[in-house]
Amino acid sequence: SVESVCCEVPTFPKNFILCQQDPYYSNPPRKGKAVLVFEGVDTVSTISLNGVTIGKTDNMFRRYDFEVTDLLKDEENILQVWIMSAVTYASQRSHAHIEYRVPPDCPPPVQKGECHVNFIRKAQSSFSWDWGPSFPTLGIWKGVRLEVFNTLRVLSYTTSPRFDSEHSSWNVEVELFFDIFVASKGLVHLSIPLLQSEAEFQLSLTPGQSKKSFVLQLNQSVSLWWPFGHGEQTLYDLTIDVNLEDGEAFNAERMVAFRTVELVQEPIPSSPGLSFYFRINGKPIFLKGSNWLPVHAFQDQATTDMITILLRSAQKANMNALRVWGGGVYEQDIFYSLCDMYGIMIWQDFMFACVLYPTEKDFIQTVREEITQQVRRLKSHPSVVIWSGNNENEAAIATDWFNIPVAERPLYVKDYVNLYVENIRDIVLQEDSTRPFLVSSPTNGVESEKEGWVAKDPYDPHFGDTHYYSYYKDCWDWTAFPRTRFASEYGFQSWPSLSTISKVSVSSDWDFSSNFSAHRQHHEDGNQQMLKQRYRDTIYITQVMQAQCVKAQTEFYRRSRSDIVEGKGHTMGTLYWQLNDIWQGPSWSSVEFGGKWKMLHYWATDFYAPILSVGVEDKGDLLIYAISDSHSEKHNVKAKVKLYSWSSFKSVCSLESNATTIKAGGSTLVFQLSISALLTQCGNCTRRSCIVAFLLSSPGQMISPHNHIFLSSPRYAEGLQKPNITFTVKDTRIVQSFFVTLHCSFPAVYVWLDVDDIPGHFDVNGFLMLSKKSKITANLHITSLRDVY
């Protein structure tokens, strides 16, 4: 374990000034106050300038400012940053906390991690997790700059659009946070040119730090910002100009958007408990998405391209929401700006996850500064729709993850309330009144608050959001899933493709009994919960299983949005675990490290489609539902159903439902027939010899993706032959795009096209092949279920 390292920043002259790109200051100062700004140090450091200690850091997630006015020399200046081992520091802090235990001490052995991560404010997953490595990084991970000013500097600025319901108009509150060296006066000018709105305000400042708020009233109507799939993501350019009487000036620009957000928790007819859904601009929105993890274990290597590829992949899969999970990092500014542009709503956790935390004064103090800075940094983004205090820590106490004696439980509840309610929640409510705050996830929401912030059962499906994992039940069986109000975590593991694994392994590693496979697997019994066969084939099978399991669960939740069954249902959100990977290893992700799509991600483009058909078997009947995200009804919709034999491309029979009007923002039953009647009516079909394919159509067009339902497990399929797939490739004459035409002798299940290391993705993949298909590729590997099973 590295005890400490010294980072010596290049020397700089006294008159060296590195101005911020945004905001812009005119008239560079020649004298006055000098402040050294560290945007991010990971994590524990002592900083000196010219041999004099100027300060210490202990929090990866906050900025530190050190005044150095009297320490600068005319010629050479030496800045040193001594960084202590995060592992050593966490251990020392834990052992110094002798009054009572703050569990857990260490992660489970299978995670191969470091201990006492709850005693240090850094990415909790850097000490290990069940999907990633233990890489407890240390270093300067964000910018360092010297700010010198005669009069003042702007520490930060925020914008908060607000709707005035009384006057049916919008305004924008602009907050400016100043560090003032000399008392001054001047003018603040705010303008949104596209809305022909501007205003000027008097400014009077006294020495010290202060906040000034100004409200710009808009002169005309605005175009609203909507989540992806529900409308446009209109952004307006707001300019801020501060002009002081002595001639100094500050100028900045910020994109603003106009949208309202509410978290609705209210009684539901015929159901105990409360609803839990988001209303954007007055419309109920079903959240479709996933959970976002750190893009890279080493944050300095997390590039804009990596972030962009992942966010574009999310949008291409029809996602409108991501949850920035609380065991990682607050993401880069570009992440939130891109989400603003793409219409991806962000559920923003604060960085606390799966452990209990100390509440000493210095710990609380640095957390308070962290929360304040992050809320001010992120609150201007319309994509951020909710703050959440932590990941699973209410559940950890309520369900006794750490074997806390009953007599000691009140002490831990008190610490929990102190940290998340009396401090974090208090700061968020002071800093931002434009979006909701949850103390934890999962939680019962307002019901948890009534129960003293730690509910008896935070997984109660009648309230709030739930996390659900079950690896030993039949994940194809929809009746096993909880009918919850909001599913914010659920999922199933798979291995990444061989081309991804091969970047960090050799051929002798390609066996599930190898040291490599054991080292990369951080989830208890993870490999046993998947299948064991030939390595490449097994990777394929694990991805089939993952895709099928998550599809079944997601489709169940989407069709439950209109249902109340035994008092449960009205599901209004699905965020599967997880979108991305932090390294090349088995995990719950749908996108591999490096950006390659797993089968699950291809399937997400369908099960998150704006209009979807879902087929289930219930009490011997085949039921087909139409699920719609639209805010208006859709008329004359029919379900078209075909049965195919496994041994022929020609359908055995075709059926069509009566025309139906499908609900706006809901689930509508459009087809129902007993399976015995279906098989009798079609003839020459049994549960094992045929498959049911279906879609939704409106006059003249298909309005949903193709879907299907197995009447028995594919392993028992009768007549399923090796499909003998061949292919041809044709250049589309579009840059980096190719048509691939597949030919096969018999129907094929889970047809998988793999191009090894070539970047890009297909239009569809992992599909049921009942006819020829055309997609892009090169160096193509094609697999179907019958080829390996």
Side-chain angles (χ1 to χ4, degrees):
S1 161
V2 176
E3 294 301 320
S4 66
V5 297
C6 176
C7 302
E8 190 164 300
V9 179
T11 58
F12 51 88
K14 182 175 181 179
N15 61 357
F16 171 78
I17 301 167
L18 178 60
C19 291
Q20 295 168 294
Q21 291 182 345
D22 182 13
Y24 168 73
Y25 293 89
S26 64
N27 294 344
R30 297 170 300 279
K31 59 181 180 179
K33 185 176 179 180
V35 178
L36 196 57
V37 179
F38 284 80
E39 289 287 353
V41 179
D42 179 12
T43 293
V44 182
S45 74
T46 300
I47 301 170
S48 69
L49 178 62
N50 297 324
V52 178
T53 298
I54 59 173
K56 297 184 177 184
T57 71
D58 62 3
N59 190 327
M60 175 183 181
F61 303 123
R62 54 168 288 197
R63 155 181 163 165
Y64 287 86
D65 292 17
F66 305 109
E67 185 179 351
V68 294
T69 309
D70 298 329
L71 296 177
L72 292 175
K73 297 179 180 179
D74 291 335
E75 300 300 329
E76 189 176 75
N77 291 270
I78 298 177
L79 175 63
Q80 291 181 309
V81 183
W82 288 93
I83 303 177
M84 181 180 182
S85 161
V87 174
T88 300
Y89 175 85
S91 177
Q92 290 176 355
R93 289 299 301 250
S94 174
H95 290 112
H97 191 283
I98 58 176
E99 294 181 29
Y100 55 93
R101 175 173 165 258
V102 182
D105 291 328
C106 300
V110 69
Q111 293 184 17
K112 312 166 184 70
E114 301 291 348
C115 300
H116 313 299
V117 69
N118 45 349
F119 279 86
I120 185 169
R121 291 306 300 142
K122 74 182 267 90
Q124 301 292 273
S125 58
S126 67
F127 275 39
S128 81
W129 218 265
D130 57 3
W131 39 256
S134 174
F135 290 158
T137 52
L138 68 167
I140 300 172
W141 75 294
K142 289 189 176 183
V144 183
R145 65 180 180 273
L146 182 67
E147 294 184 349
V148 183
F149 52 99
N150 295 331
T151 306
L152 60 81
R153 61 178 179 143
V154 177
L155 298 170
S156 62
Y157 55 99
T158 68
T159 56
S160 300
R162 301 175 191 275
F163 183 68
D164 183 345
S165 57
E166 184 177 346
H167 299 95
S168 297
S169 64
W170 287 87
N171 60 61
V172 181
E173 181 185 27
V174 177
E175 294 176 315
L176 297 170
F177 298 87
F178 294 100
D179 179 10
I180 303 131
F181 184 50
V182 176
S184 56
K185 294 183 179 181
L187 295 174
V188 175
H189 184 265
L190 306 178
S191 173
I192 303 179
L194 278 177
L195 296 177
Q196 300 177 357
S197 300
E198 60 181 333
E200 197 164 75
F201 306 89
Q202 296 289 329
L203 180 66
S204 180
L205 300 168
T206 56
Q209 292 194 1
S210 69
K211 177 183 79 172
K212 297 293 182 181
S213 298
F214 310 94
V215 178
L216 174 63
Q217 302 289 341
L218 302 188
N219 297 328
Q220 57 180 267
S221 61
V222 304
S223 295
L224 298 177
W225 183 96
W226 287 95
F228 178 69
H230 294 272
E232 298 298 317
Q233 292 78 50
T234 306
L235 299 169
Y236 294 91
D237 188 30
L238 173 119
T239 62
I240 304 169
D241 297 297
V242 179
N243 295 286
L244 302 181
E245 291 179 348
D246 65 0
E248 288 192 29
F250 160 83
N251 311 104
E253 294 184 359
R254 171 148 283 167
M255 304 305 293
V256 296
F258 299 92
R259 66 104 184 89
T260 60
V261 56
E262 305 163 82
L263 177 58
V264 181
Q265 300 179 78
E266 60 188 16
I268 302 174
S270 305
S271 174
L274 301 172
S275 66
F276 189 94
Y277 69 91
F278 289 86
R279 195 154 54 200
I280 308 294
N281 301 326
K283 302 286 188 181
I285 302 292
F286 189 102
L287 269 64
K288 303 181 300 184
S290 188
N291 284 261
W292 177 277
L293 274 59
V295 174
H296 203 291
F298 300 95
Q299 281 296 305
D300 60 307
Q301 297 183 41
T303 66
T304 297
D305 282 349
M306 295 168 70
I307 291 171
T308 303
I309 288 170
L310 285 170
L311 290 178
R312 290 289 291 131
S313 293
Q315 191 191 57
K316 287 176 181 178
N318 290 306
M319 295 184 187
N320 62 20
L322 292 170
R323 174 174 172 247
V324 178
W325 170 73
V329 297
Y330 305 97
E331 271 301 338
Q332 301 174 26
D333 291 341
I334 188 63
F335 169 86
Y336 299 96
S337 295
L338 288 172
C339 289
D340 294 343
M341 294 170 55
Y342 295 160
I344 298 175
M345 295 176 285
I346 297 301
W347 173 312
Q348 180 65 56
D349 279 3
F350 291 105
M351 295 300 120
F352 302 85
C354 296
V355 295
L356 305 186
Y357 291 90
T359 54
E360 289 101 337
K361 184 178 180 180
D362 60 343
F363 187 88
I364 293 293
Q365 183 178 352
T366 195
V367 166
R368 288 185 64 88
E369 186 61 31
E370 167 193 331
I371 303 303
T372 300
Q373 290 183 14
Q374 294 296 342
V375 172
R376 290 177 183 176
R377 182 173 73 94
L378 302 180
K379 65 179 282 191
S380 301
H381 291 279
S383 54
V384 179
V385 297
I386 187 170
W387 307 107
S388 180
N390 66 75
N391 174 75
E392 298 184 345
N393 291 344
E394 178 185 347
I397 295 176
T399 59
D400 196 22
W401 287 10
F402 308 122
N403 300 312
I404 296 171
V406 174
E408 297 177 14
R409 187 172 181 272
L411 172 64
Y412 293 94
V413 172
K414 180 181 178 181
D415 279 356
Y416 179 90
V417 173
N418 180 8
L419 178 58
Y420 300 113
V421 180
E422 296 170 358
N423 283 284
I424 294 176
R425 178 177 179 270
D426 180 63
I427 291 170
V428 173
L429 296 182
Q430 288 180 40
E431 294 288 337
D432 182 20
S433 61
T434 66
R435 49 178 63 82
F437 173 84
L438 284 176
V439 174
S440 187
S441 174
T443 183
N444 291 346
V446 294
E447 176 62 25
S448 288
E449 181 177 352
K450 290 179 182 178
E451 296 182 39
W453 303 104
V454 176
K456 181 179 180 181
D457 178 16
Y459 297 101
D460 188 337
H462 298 98
F463 301 93
D465 68 316
T466 60
H467 297 183
Y468 175 80
Y469 299 93
S470 179
Y471 304 114
Y472 296 103
K473 292 183 179 178
D474 180 0
C475 66
W476 294 31
D477 178 7
W478 62 269
T479 64
F481 306 132
R483 201 178 291 270
T484 178
R485 305 292 195 222
F486 194 106
S488 51
E489 276 193 32
Y490 60 99
F492 202 86
Q493 268 202 341
S494 71
W495 274 81
S497 61
L498 186 59
S499 61
T500 295
I501 294 171
S502 63
K503 292 183 176 69
V504 291
S505 63
V506 295
S507 58
S508 59
D509 295 324
W510 300 344
D511 184 283
F512 284 101
S513 61
S514 70
N515 290 335
F516 170 82
S517 294
H519 175 70
R520 292 270 160 167
Q521 175 59 267
H522 283 207
H523 174 54
E524 191 72 43
D525 296 328
N527 289 340
Q528 288 68 40
Q529 292 161 6
M530 297 183 278
L531 299 177
K532 296 189 69 175
Q533 289 193 18
R534 297 182 303 274
Y535 202 72
R536 183 190 284 274
D537 294 343
T538 304
I539 288 171
Y540 163 79
I541 290 293
T542 67
Q543 291 204 15
V544 168
M545 285 297 298
Q546 180 195 38
Q548 186 68 52
C549 293
V550 176
K551 173 182 185 286
Q553 196 163 354
T554 304
E555 289 182 344
F556 168 72
Y557 291 140
R558 288 198 68 186
R559 70 181 176 87
S560 296
R561 66 183 294 173
S562 299
D563 294 345
I564 294 293
V565 178
E566 297 179 352
K568 302 172 185 177
H570 194 53
T571 307
M572 284 298 289
T574 55
L575 305 175
Y576 67 75
W577 185 268
Q578 61 204 66
L579 179 70
N580 57 305
D581 266 334
I582 202 168
W583 72 339
Q584 303 93 335
S587 79
W588 294 254
S589 76
S590 63
V591 180
E592 298 174 6
F593 185 79
K596 188 171 183 176
W597 290 14
K598 291 182 179 178
M599 192 178 294
L600 169 57
H601 206 80
Y602 284 101
W603 286 27
T605 65
D606 285 346
F607 64 62
Y608 276 152
I611 297 179
L612 173 68
S613 59
V614 174
V616 297
E617 181 178 347
D618 189 12
K619 298 176 181 176
D621 285 356
L622 171 63
L623 308 179
I624 297 177
Y625 292 84
I627 293 97
S628 174
D629 289 336
S630 174
H631 298 294
S632 58
E633 292 181 340
K634 200 161 189 71
H635 304 284
N636 299 318
V637 174
K638 294 183 178 180
K640 294 190 174 182
V641 183
K642 292 185 176 183
L643 268 69
Y644 289 87
S645 163
W646 284 121
S647 58
S648 172
F649 287 120
K650 185 178 179 181
S651 63
V652 177
C653 68
S654 300
L655 300 90
E656 187 174 274
S657 72
N658 296 324
T660 306
T661 296
I662 60 175
K663 300 174 188 174
S667 174
T668 307
L669 181 64
V670 294
F671 181 92
Q672 181 171 8
L673 184 65
S674 75
I675 290 176
S676 60
L678 177 67
L679 295 174
T680 300
Q681 184 174 337
C682 287
N684 298 319
C685 260
T686 67
R687 282 181 172 270
R688 294 188 176 188
S689 67
C690 290
I691 183 172
V692 181
F694 52 89
L695 56 82
L696 301 176
S697 69
S698 199
Q701 61 178 338
M702 182 178 81
I703 62 171
S704 74
H706 291 273
N707 208 342
H708 61 270
I709 182 172
F710 299 109
L711 299 180
S712 68
S713 171
R715 76 169 63 184
Y716 303 123
E718 295 177 352
L720 184 63
Q721 307 292 318
K722 275 206 169 187
N724 303 314
I725 300 173
T726 60
F727 67 92
T728 58
V729 181
K730 180 181 178 181
D731 191 342
T732 64
R733 298 186 179 179
I734 300 173
V735 176
Q736 296 181 326
S737 181
F738 299 88
F739 276 121
V740 177
T741 302
L742 304 183
H743 307 267
C744 61
S745 306
F746 298 98
V749 190
Y750 306 127
V751 177
W752 181 245
L753 286 68
D754 190 352
V755 293
D756 286 339
D757 256 350
I758 298 174
H761 59 270
F762 298 93
D763 293 337
V764 295
N765 210 347
F767 49 86
L768 173 68
M769 190 169 178
L770 298 174
S771 61
K772 297 178 181 179
K773 301 288 178 179
S774 300
K775 300 299 151 225
I776 59 169
T777 193
N779 295 342
L780 184 65
H781 299 285
I782 302 175
T783 308
S784 75
L785 183 67
R786 188 63 183 81
D787 291 322
V788 302
Y789 205 70

